[in-house]
Amino acid sequence: MDILLTLVTGVLVAGASYLMMAGTLVRFLLGLVLISNAVNLIIFVSGRLTYAGPPLIDSASKTVAEGAANSLPQALILTAIVIGFGLFAFTLALSLRAYSQLGTDAADEMREAEPEDRT
Amino acid sequence: MNSLVLSTITRILAPLLLVFSVFILLRGHNDPGGGFIGGLIAAIAFILISKAEGRRQAMVALRVRPLSIAGTGLLMAIVAGFWGLIAKGAFLKGIWPLIVYNADGSKGGLPIGSILLFDLGVFLVVIGGVCGIFFNLEKAVGEDTD
Amino acid sequence: MSLLRFLPAVLSALLFVAFANQYPVIARGDVLTVAWDWLPTLGVELAFRLDGLSLLFALLITGIGAVILSYAADYFKTDPRRDRLQILLGLFALSMLGLVLSDDAISLFLFWEGTTLTSFLLVGFDHHRDVARRNAVQALIITGLGGLALLIGLITMHQITGSWRMSDWNAAGFTDHAAYPMILLAVLIGCFTKSAQFPFHYWLPNAMAAPTPVSAYLHSATMVKAGIYLLLRLNPALGGTELWTMALVTCGGITMILGSLWALRQTDLKLMMAYTTLMALGALTLLIGLGSDKALMAAIVFILVHALYKAALFLSVGMMDKQVGTRDLRHIHGMGKSMPLAWACAALGALSMAGIPPLIGFLGKELIYTATLGHSLWVSGVALAANVMMVMTAIAVAWGPFVGRASHAQAKPMSVGLWWGTLVMGLLALILGSLPSLIDSSLVQPILAAVTGREQSVYLSLWHGINGPLVLSVATYALGFVLYRFMPRIRATLSDIEARYGEMDNLYQWKLDSLHRVAGATTRSLQNGRMTFYLRVTFGMLSLILWAALLDSPIRWPEQGLALTWIDLIVGLLAVVGTWIVVRTESRLIAISALGIVGAAVSIVFVMFGAIDVAMTQLLVDTLMVIFIAVALVRLPRVKLSRLTNRVAGFIAITLGAGVSVAMLAVLQVPMHLELTEFFGQNSLTEALGRNVVNVILVDFRAMDTLGEIAVVVIAALAAIAALKSKPEHKSV
């Protein structure tokens, strides 16, 4: 399974980066969501996969059972998901703003800061 | 968006979701859950209200401006940090004032302290942040669609 | 009028007295040193050393500094920028003082750069003028680049000796070392740029954009002598080789001739003085290059000679500018009657410059001729030609503007700050010239000892009997007086030449412009304002780095992974198909749904491998994202697929995706370290009273990260809300 997941992650990254390079706001947003998922998978798989239970301490013992899932990458991913959501929301707001201000969704036509005829 | 079904379901579901979110927050230390998940659930509850009964209603349900909630949450987390700094000399160190140490070395009492305050801060930040963005997003998209 | 404006001058004078107080000590041949640790781990100290050479420069800096600061106080009497000028001049004086007193090379370098920076600010003092800004930048670029070269030389010498002390370097010597040519080149570039030697000479005349007191102080008496100082200082370590002599004599000789020739061409008196400064600096370089004791002695005396007469002449020109309103020698005549003090100052300076006895200039010129005659005839010829032109320039400065019919009405009366110091310097040139025994054994002798590294007695006198140098001197006067009659014709010829061939300044400008063009073109092609381009470069580089790292080590297919079940295959397929749909669809709704599918598939993966918290968070966030996009969708445009297919982007995306897959496979081959995970698992309940280890990590063990994260969430919300709330601006096209 872990080998399969590395391939799936590769597909996600390829699709996400292609979408982000496509040059329109909507596709950039879609790519951003996809690439967040891909990065989370990378962290998760790098922390090794086990079919064992979650890192919870049952009421009978004082420590996590031998062979439970790796807790550290999970904590990292949890944080990453929420931050990724914040980033996504901000990008969405910015895209809306840019579209209503500039009247185009083609990123390459947004050249207020770096106009074409600059010398 | 004036769907009778949606608004009826919301009237039942939203309070349930809110109670559930607090439950998830509180149980998070020992079972799956915690501030992030609880906060997201609560935020979804308010978004549901907003979709079913309008943004104004959701704002009323929230009572306080979303950004104030988020700010309060951040402040609580920082206070929790200084609590540890002042009491134990390390920023964000966990403090459990209500834990009792029994003679046999086991612990009793209530596990309430700076850590819970911190998690509560996370909870509020997530609610405030998500709701704040969502309400403004809806508003910017246009009053004409509401 | 507040007398406070003379405070900087007084401070400088006090410093002068303090240094003069050490005169007897140095005259005995002693050396004063003081040192503090600065960066002990690097062996860098604040080490200072006062020997004869340092003392001469320290006296010049503080003494002429006092004169100039008082002159500036009255030159800018009513100008609100006076404070700025005096502060900058003061900073410059301190840097220069530090430079000549440092024994530690790092301190020397810092002070060296300090003079470069203050000089930049002072040349650009009239910063509202284009030409002042341009010339300030030019001086900064040239001397700054020279400074870098010098640093290379200094570091190399440190590498060889292990010491930063120049006194140690002088004791060691580098002339036999394999790196000697490299060191010499680096140090010479530093010194030549600073002291405006050919081929770097052209910045100095341009630096005359500075106010006159600045030009008098920095660009004749002190700063430009820093290079000369360093050449003298390092003479024992680097001097005396054929390479040294060749480089210094050639460049010095060219600078000497070039400077004196172009001085004749000028009509602006100040520019004329600037070019004669070039001549003097060239002469000093040439003398140091000759390297004989006589030549070094001549150089030492000539430093003093030049500092005195050039400052006096500059200040006289400044007085004329101030009182008459022009510096063009074609328009000023007969002002001698109304400006007797300025005339006196100019005359003393000019007589010294022309080398007329009994002024000290005569002494300097005799010594130069003695030194050059001791070397070769052609060097003597160069010296003779340059000195003849000096005589002509001296007449042009001190005769033309003051005699004849008055060109201007009564000049304004001069305030005392303007003239006293100038007159003192002129008189000093007269006194020291008449009584050279005042300085020979007490000042010149210890300096010569410092420069050569050997003790020897020095005797100076005006009259040596009829000999070679005297004959040359007489020839100089005669030729100078005769040729002065042809001055206008010479000037016209030189103007023609200048118009036909241009100057080196043009070459500098061309190089600078080319640099700007290249930089502009680079920026336009890299920062072209196209986001797709930026993203392609970013992802492309990422892929390149990834593959470079991967191909560096052997890639192996993992020997055994976890078993593959049908569920696994379905989940993987869901994610891949979802991704494919998002990429290919034109419908926004289908895209969002497919995105949801991918998110769900990822959540399932989390559930399967024991990450319940993560799966819950992922599902909730996924839901929220879909809701957000759905809300925003009505305001976002449709996607047109036709214009979005792009081979380059596709190639980059596929390479990157493949790279990520291979990298992950490679990671799985590496043994896993689980110390942290085990620590968290063992201490979660006992230390932090929590059974959900993930949550305990978030709110307790790594709570600092979480605090930072929720802060980011708040900031993101603030920024998003600000972007959403702002009203559309209507741009004026």
Side-chain angles (χ1 to χ4, degrees):
Chain A
M1 178 60 179
D2 42 4
I3 295 172
L4 177 70
L5 274 181
T6 61
L7 303 180
V8 170
T9 310
V11 172
L12 280 177
V13 168
S17 52
Y18 182 75
L19 282 169
M20 289 172 84
M21 284 184 278
T24 64
L25 293 176
V26 177
R27 306 201 110 205
F28 183 86
L29 278 169
L30 298 174
L32 191 66
V33 175
L34 266 188
I35 213 164
S36 306
N37 275 323
V39 170
N40 291 342
L41 273 181
I42 292 176
I43 302 175
F44 194 58
V45 174
S46 305
R48 301 299 188 275
L49 303 179
T50 46
Y51 283 109
L56 298 174
I57 303 171
D58 58 50
S59 51
S61 67
K62 288 196 171 232
T63 57
V64 171
E66 199 68 27
N70 193 348
S71 54
L72 187 57
Q74 294 193 20
L76 294 179
I77 297 169
L78 221 155
T79 323
I81 291 174
V82 179
I83 292 226
F85 179 70
L87 180 66
F88 160 79
F90 174 66
T91 315
L92 182 69
L94 206 58
S95 306
L96 275 177
R97 187 92 213 89
Y99 181 59
S100 70
Q101 171 95 39
L102 303 171
T104 174
D105 74 321
D108 285 352
E109 287 163 27
M110 298 179 175
R111 316 193 51 140
E112 290 258 284
E114 291 156 84
E116 193 103 54
D117 53 357
R118 189 187 50 170
T119 48
Chain B
M1 223 188 261
N2 292 320
S3 152
L4 188 64
V5 180
L6 185 64
S7 70
T8 312
I9 292 178
T10 300
R11 227 164 270 167
I12 304 165
L13 202 55
L16 273 179
L17 276 175
L18 287 174
V19 172
F20 183 61
S21 75
V22 176
F23 167 68
I24 284 285
L25 161 71
L26 291 179
R27 79 172 207 149
H29 218 53
N30 291 324
D31 294 289
F36 282 114
I37 301 172
L40 288 169
I41 293 173
I44 286 177
F46 286 111
I47 288 172
L48 202 60
I49 298 175
S50 158
K51 283 268 107 183
E53 298 174 22
R55 198 169 58 247
R56 202 163 299 279
Q57 202 58 42
M59 296 283 266
V60 170
L62 210 51
R63 285 167 209 282
V64 188
R65 282 192 13 230
L67 274 182
S68 310
I69 297 179
T72 312
L74 193 55
L75 197 67
M76 283 167 79
I78 292 169
V79 167
F82 278 105
W83 190 354
L85 181 66
I86 291 161
K88 290 251 190 84
F91 191 71
L92 282 169
K93 184 143 183 101
I95 307 294
W96 308 93
L98 300 180
I99 289 289
V100 185
Y101 292 85
N102 299 325
D104 60 347
S106 65
K107 291 165 195 157
L110 274 176
I112 290 174
S114 71
I115 296 300
L116 186 67
L117 184 68
F118 185 83
D119 219 6
L120 192 60
V122 173
F123 179 78
L124 292 180
V125 166
V126 173
I127 297 182
V130 173
C131 289
I133 298 172
F134 182 78
F135 293 158
N136 281 283
L137 186 68
E138 265 203 324
K139 196 168 153 197
V141 163
E143 272 77 16
D144 51 357
T145 54
D146 267 343
Chain C
M1 183 60 62
S2 158
L3 284 177
L4 205 61
R5 68 180 190 275
F6 290 113
L7 182 66
V10 172
L11 290 178
S12 187
L14 285 176
L15 271 174
F16 178 80
V17 172
F19 279 112
N21 216 18
Q22 302 300 327
Y23 193 95
V25 181
I26 302 300
R28 278 202 307 272
D30 290 347
V31 172
L32 301 172
T33 56
V34 58
W36 296 278
D37 272 347
W38 184 10
L39 298 171
T41 45
L42 297 176
V44 175
E45 305 161 296
L46 273 177
F48 297 103
R49 191 165 186 274
L50 187 70
D51 60 6
L53 186 60
S54 303
L55 183 67
L56 170 66
F57 274 92
L59 288 174
L60 286 176
I61 293 161
T62 51
I64 297 181
V67 170
I68 300 268
L69 283 166
S70 113
Y71 184 89
D74 274 355
Y75 193 81
F76 281 96
K77 202 169 191 170
T78 53
D79 194 315
R81 300 173 303 168
R82 193 188 67 222
D83 292 344
R84 182 154 64 94
L85 182 82
Q86 291 201 326
I87 287 171
L88 287 174
L89 277 175
L91 280 176
F92 165 76
L94 286 179
S95 305
M96 192 69 202
L97 207 53
L99 196 162
V100 298
L101 292 177
S102 292
D103 190 25
D104 180 87
I106 292 290
S107 328
L108 172 110
F109 179 73
L110 285 183
F111 288 121
W112 179 281
E113 295 292 282
T115 62
T116 300
L117 280 178
T118 42
S119 158
F120 163 71
L121 293 171
L122 284 164
V123 174
F125 189 73
D126 292 326
H127 51 77
H128 51 89
R129 285 170 51 217
D130 269 353
V131 64
R133 288 200 303 273
R134 183 229 178 233
N135 293 344
V137 169
Q138 184 183 48
L140 183 69
I141 288 177
I142 294 173
T143 52
L145 287 179
L148 284 182
L150 174 66
L151 185 62
I152 294 173
L154 297 180
I155 290 174
T156 316
M157 287 191 273
H158 167 72
Q159 294 290 332
I160 293 170
T161 57
S163 165
W164 285 113
R165 295 274 190 112
M166 286 184 288
S167 42
D168 292 346
W169 295 354
N170 282 338
F174 299 99
T175 48
D176 298 329
H177 199 275
Y180 174 70
M182 202 271 271
I183 298 174
L184 185 64
L185 183 71
V187 171
L188 286 189
I189 290 177
C191 293
F192 282 10
T193 49
K194 196 81 167 176
S195 285
Q197 293 300 299
F198 177 85
F200 309 109
H201 60 281
Y202 47 90
W203 71 265
L204 183 58
N206 289 339
M208 293 303 129
T212 301
V214 173
S215 307
Y217 194 33
L218 271 67
H219 304 121
S220 67
T222 52
M223 177 181 122
V224 289
K225 298 254 174 67
I228 303 292
Y229 165 81
L230 196 62
L231 288 176
L232 285 170
R233 172 59 74 206
L234 293 175
N235 180 49
L238 298 172
T241 62
E242 242 172 72
L243 203 59
W244 166 276
T245 305
M246 206 179 68
L248 266 65
V249 170
T250 313
C251 292
I254 294 176
T255 314
M256 209 169 156
I257 294 295
L258 221 57
S260 42
L261 202 57
W262 286 119
L264 292 181
R265 181 243 169 281
Q266 305 305 323
T267 52
D268 180 340
L269 285 168
K270 192 173 164 191
L271 269 182
M272 187 180 246
M273 289 304 104
Y275 279 101
T276 59
T277 305
L278 279 184
M279 175 272 171
L281 294 170
L284 285 169
T285 309
L286 182 135
L287 288 171
I288 298 169
L290 291 178
S292 62
D293 289 348
K294 282 203 171 81
L296 291 172
M297 195 164 82
I300 293 159
V301 173
F302 193 58
I303 288 172
L304 182 63
V305 170
H306 176 254
L308 288 176
Y309 81 64
K310 191 49 62 69
L313 281 175
F314 255 115
L315 296 181
S316 313
V317 169
M319 290 175 207
M320 215 131 41
D321 193 11
K322 191 86 186 159
Q323 307 307 120
V324 180
T326 175
R327 303 189 301 241
D328 193 322
L329 56 83
R330 289 167 303 185
H331 302 141
I332 312 176
H333 323 279
M335 298 310 290
K337 272 199 190 115
S338 54
M339 301 177 67
L341 281 168
W343 194 9
C345 297
L348 283 170
L351 287 172
S352 188
M353 178 158 88
I356 310 284
L359 281 99
I360 194 170
F362 173 71
L363 200 63
K365 186 150 54 64
E366 293 285 290
L367 285 168
I368 292 175
Y369 282 142
T370 314
T372 55
L373 281 174
H375 186 261
S376 63
L377 260 182
W378 72 268
V379 175
S380 307
V382 168
L384 177 66
N387 275 322
V388 168
M389 292 188 269
M390 281 299 108
V391 172
M392 294 162 68
T393 319
I395 302 170
V397 174
W399 188 257
F402 294 103
V403 293
R405 200 165 46 82
S407 58
H408 294 72
Q410 200 66 28
K412 289 176 274 179
M414 256 195 301
S415 40
V416 68
L418 286 179
W419 60 262
W420 75 263
T422 322
L423 199 60
V424 166
M425 281 193 291
L427 291 175
L428 212 54
L430 182 64
I431 294 164
L432 292 180
S434 320
L435 302 165
S437 57
L438 283 176
I439 50 167
D440 58 0
S441 64
S442 56
L443 187 61
V444 180
Q445 189 171 315
I447 299 175
L448 198 60
V451 172
T452 58
R454 281 175 284 114
E455 293 289 339
Q456 50 199 311
S457 58
V458 171
Y459 172 71
L460 295 177
S461 73
L462 271 182
W463 181 249
H464 291 275
I466 297 170
N467 53 9
L470 191 67
V471 173
L472 279 180
S473 285
V474 174
T476 310
Y477 306 141
L479 279 169
F481 280 111
V482 171
L483 285 174
Y484 177 70
R485 304 174 64 88
F486 302 101
M487 190 98 159
R489 197 177 304 167
I490 294 171
R491 189 179 302 143
T493 316
L494 287 171
S495 303
D496 278 357
I497 295 172
E498 189 183 57
R500 202 166 305 158
Y501 297 106
E503 282 182 274
M504 286 200 59
D505 192 35
N506 300 346
L507 192 66
Y508 161 85
Q509 194 57 44
W510 179 82
K511 279 186 254 173
L512 202 65
D513 291 345
S514 313
L515 188 68
H516 278 157
R517 270 195 301 278
V518 171
T522 315
T523 311
R524 267 194 303 283
S525 61
L526 289 181
Q527 301 281 319
N528 58 11
R530 295 180 190 284
M531 193 183 81
T532 48
F533 174 77
Y534 297 160
L535 282 169
R536 272 174 210 175
V537 171
T538 310
F539 283 127
M541 280 313 293
L542 193 61
S543 163
L544 212 62
I545 293 167
L546 204 55
W547 277 107
L550 286 172
L551 294 177
D552 197 40
S553 56
I555 302 173
R556 285 180 298 123
W557 190 256
E559 280 152 26
Q560 52 179 27
L562 294 173
L564 206 57
T565 64
W566 282 110
I567 304 172
D568 297 344
L569 276 179
I570 291 168
V571 173
L573 208 63
L574 271 180
V576 171
V577 171
T579 309
W580 180 254
I581 293 173
V582 179
V583 172
R584 296 305 301 178
T585 186
E586 275 194 43
S587 155
R588 294 166 301 175
L589 272 180
I590 293 179
I592 294 171
S593 315
L595 209 58
I597 292 175
V598 175
V602 174
S603 305
I604 295 173
V605 172
F606 289 145
V607 173
M608 283 164 70
F609 296 98
I612 312 292
D613 292 87
V614 179
M616 284 162 79
T617 316
Q618 166 79 22
L619 267 178
L620 290 166
V621 164
D622 225 41
T623 315
L624 280 171
M625 279 184 183
V626 171
I627 296 176
F628 272 45
I629 295 187
V631 168
L633 212 54
V634 287
R635 285 288 170 198
L636 283 176
R638 303 186 65 83
V639 180
K640 291 188 209 73
L641 205 55
S642 53
R643 71 168 198 239
L644 302 176
T645 3
N646 187 295
R647 279 165 204 278
V648 180
F651 176 74
I652 293 174
I654 288 170
T655 347
L656 183 62
V660 168
S661 289
V662 176
M664 287 174 71
L665 286 172
V667 167
L668 290 178
Q669 306 300 309
V670 181
M672 184 76 183
H673 294 282
L674 291 169
E675 287 89 352
L676 274 177
T677 306
E678 278 163 14
F679 171 84
F680 292 139
Q682 262 148 31
N683 295 299
S684 176
L685 183 64
T686 47
E687 294 286 322
L689 307 170
R691 292 181 185 277
N692 181 356
V693 182
V694 176
N695 187 264
V696 171
I697 293 175
L698 283 176
V699 296
D700 198 329
F701 290 133
R702 306 289 310 160
M704 196 65 166
D705 301 352
T706 311
L707 183 65
E709 188 218 338
I710 56 176
V712 170
V713 170
V714 172
I715 292 166
L718 279 172
I721 291 171
L724 289 168
K725 271 193 167 166
S726 59
K727 295 261 180 295
E729 300 160 25
H730 295 287
K731 49 177 177 176
S732 51
V733 180

